[in-house]
Amino acid sequence: MQTLTLTRPDDWHLHLRDGAAMAAVLPDTARRFARAIVMPNLKPPVTTVALAAAYRDRILAALPAGIDFTPLMTLYLTDNMPPAEVDAVKASGFVHAIKLYPAGATTNSDAGVSDLKKCTATVARMERLGVPLLVHGEVTDPAVDIFDREAVFIDGVLLPLLRDFPALKVVLEHVTTREGIEFVRDGGMNVAGTLTAHHLLLNRNAIFAGGIRPHNYCLPVLKRETHRQALVAAAISGSPKFFLGTDSAPHAQSAKETACGCAGCYTAHAGIELYAEAFEAAGALDRLEGFASFYGADYYGLPRNTEKISLRREALAIPLSLDYLGSDRLVPLRAGESVAWRLE
Ligand code: DOR
Ligand code: ZN
């Protein structure tokens, strides 16, 4: 039997939600990951350090006893976040980044940025203080094909942004295209990217395999196979610019299996195991630890974890659904199938 031992990993992009939903999903992440960058797209969004402090307290209060887990908080950038809020972020010690959602790009992004030019003073302060900007990198123009929105965003928004703020720390989150990989690769060491397990494992055919598959629908949407191969190559390259971010994004079954279903794949139940599958398929299990446990911490200027976890190569059956909100269930990725690795 094959066992894989690695330094306890971190998740550099996670949706925990709030209230009962958060309490339902938090143990899945906390059992695997030592820390996670927690997305601020709540309703209402987490726009101030004070709101982030209160959200952090709610997460810590919901943590099962005996599990060591540190939520790393983020703020939600709006058109009118004052530069002084960036000073408060820097001084807080528990808010680690600010997230850019183009208004209307995805779940709970209505309060996001309508035009990045409105944020010039705030972004300048971020550059000066070294506060990372986490980017949902898609244009929202409905005239742009949904499969092209990342590439168009890079050319139209990110490259000009980095010309104006060359030292700004930018994480292109959930990179889904070859163009996204090249953008990160060709940028300075201030530019990094996270990769999800589902984008490493699936291409866009998975959304339409034998019928429409709402649980494989996320944003940015899965892309064609050539792009998936570019993501895998980056993940296993050993480049410290690419690191793990699950983008695990729970939505109740009723909100996914409906005429206009929500975007998001729930992967926290097998948050590291799915990556082990992807790296094994690429013959690169020896590269998993850097990607999952070292490079993200290094980028954020945080200490690497010291504890270890072990994975055993043995099929883990995934239930059809998980407890979530009363009678409303949560359908995880691979529901009714299995994952090749299990956490010891
Ligand atoms: O699929 C997604 N779900 N993409 C996002 O950007 C947001 C997320 C969510 O919050 O559900
Ligand atoms: Zn996300």
Side-chain angles (χ1 to χ4, degrees):
M1 184 141 5
Q2 205 181 332
T3 301
L4 179 66
T5 298
L6 65 155
T7 301
R8 197 163 170 223
D10 301 305
D11 184 350
W12 299 99
H13 181 145
L14 175 68
H15 297 271
L16 278 180
R17 313 304 188 207
D18 208 349
M22 185 245 291
V25 298
L26 177 62
D28 279 346
T29 291
R31 269 199 282 273
R32 292 168 175 79
F33 297 99
R35 299 171 288 200
I37 282 278
V38 179
M39 287 297 121
N41 62 333
L42 304 182
K43 273 184 195 166
V46 181
T47 50
T48 65
V49 171
L51 287 168
Y55 183 30
R56 181 173 180 271
D57 288 346
R58 295 195 297 279
I59 295 167
L60 292 173
L63 207 55
I67 297 192
D68 178 29
F69 173 75
T70 304
L72 308 172
M73 309 311 292
T74 62
L75 297 194
Y76 184 114
L77 186 63
T78 64
D79 287 350
N80 31 19
M81 178 185 285
E85 200 64 41
V86 184
D87 300 339
V89 164
K90 190 69 187 174
S92 74
F94 60 86
V95 180
H96 294 270
I98 299 177
K99 170 85 185 221
L100 165 61
Y101 284 108
T106 187
T107 306
N108 296 344
S109 64
D110 301 347
V113 172
S114 67
D115 181 354
L116 204 46
K117 290 199 179 60
K118 295 184 174 157
C119 304
T120 297
T122 299
V123 172
R125 190 71 58 92
M126 292 174 68
E127 181 187 39
R128 183 148 67 76
L129 297 181
V131 173
L133 181 70
L134 313 183
V135 179
H136 183 107
E138 290 192 287
V139 292
T140 55
D141 180 352
V144 176
D145 190 282
I146 189 166
F147 294 103
D148 297 335
R149 288 181 188 177
E150 185 170 288
V152 173
F153 187 88
I154 289 167
D155 288 343
V157 181
L158 282 183
L159 290 172
L161 178 71
L162 281 160
R163 275 196 287 275
D164 291 344
F165 304 100
L168 181 67
K169 291 190 86 160
V170 171
V171 183
L172 180 57
E173 303 203 277
H174 41 54
V175 181
T176 64
T177 58
R178 185 174 47 77
E179 291 87 344
I181 296 297
E182 289 168 356
F183 164 77
V184 172
R185 186 196 63 195
D186 298 343
M189 287 311 291
N190 51 317
V191 178
T194 59
L195 296 164
T196 79
H198 47 289
H199 288 98
L200 292 175
L201 290 164
L202 303 174
N203 66 37
R204 64 191 189 178
N205 286 351
I207 310 169
F208 308 103
I212 193 147
R213 303 279 185 161
H215 301 291
N216 291 338
Y217 171 60
C218 63
L219 288 172
V221 72
L222 295 171
K223 302 299 191 299
R224 66 165 66 236
E225 176 63 10
T226 49
H227 293 290
R228 189 193 70 80
Q229 288 174 9
L231 307 187
V232 171
I236 67 170
S237 68
S239 163
K241 304 181 106 203
F242 296 98
F243 41 85
L244 184 156
T246 63
D247 198 16
S248 179
H251 290 277
Q253 185 169 14
S254 63
K256 293 283 293 176
E257 298 177 11
T258 181
C260 187
C262 293
C265 296
Y266 185 71
T267 55
H269 64 297
I272 186 66
E273 299 91 322
L274 289 163
Y275 284 98
E277 259 192 23
F279 276 65
E280 183 183 30
L285 274 176
D286 59 319
R287 294 284 170 89
L288 180 61
E289 186 177 42
F291 174 83
S293 314
F294 297 158
Y295 306 149
D298 297 349
Y299 181 84
Y300 277 88
L302 294 169
R304 293 180 178 182
N305 299 318
T306 51
E307 323 99 278
K308 304 278 179 192
I309 62 160
S310 290
L311 301 175
R312 188 154 36 97
R313 204 188 183 300
E314 186 186 311
L316 174 70
I318 306 298
L320 287 171
S321 68
L322 308 171
D323 288 341
Y324 193 51
L325 289 172
S327 62
D328 216 347
R329 312 277 304 167
L330 176 60
V331 178
L333 201 83
R334 290 281 174 84
E337 301 173 45
S338 67
V339 175
W341 292 82
R342 64 169 71 201
L343 191 67
E344 297 246 65

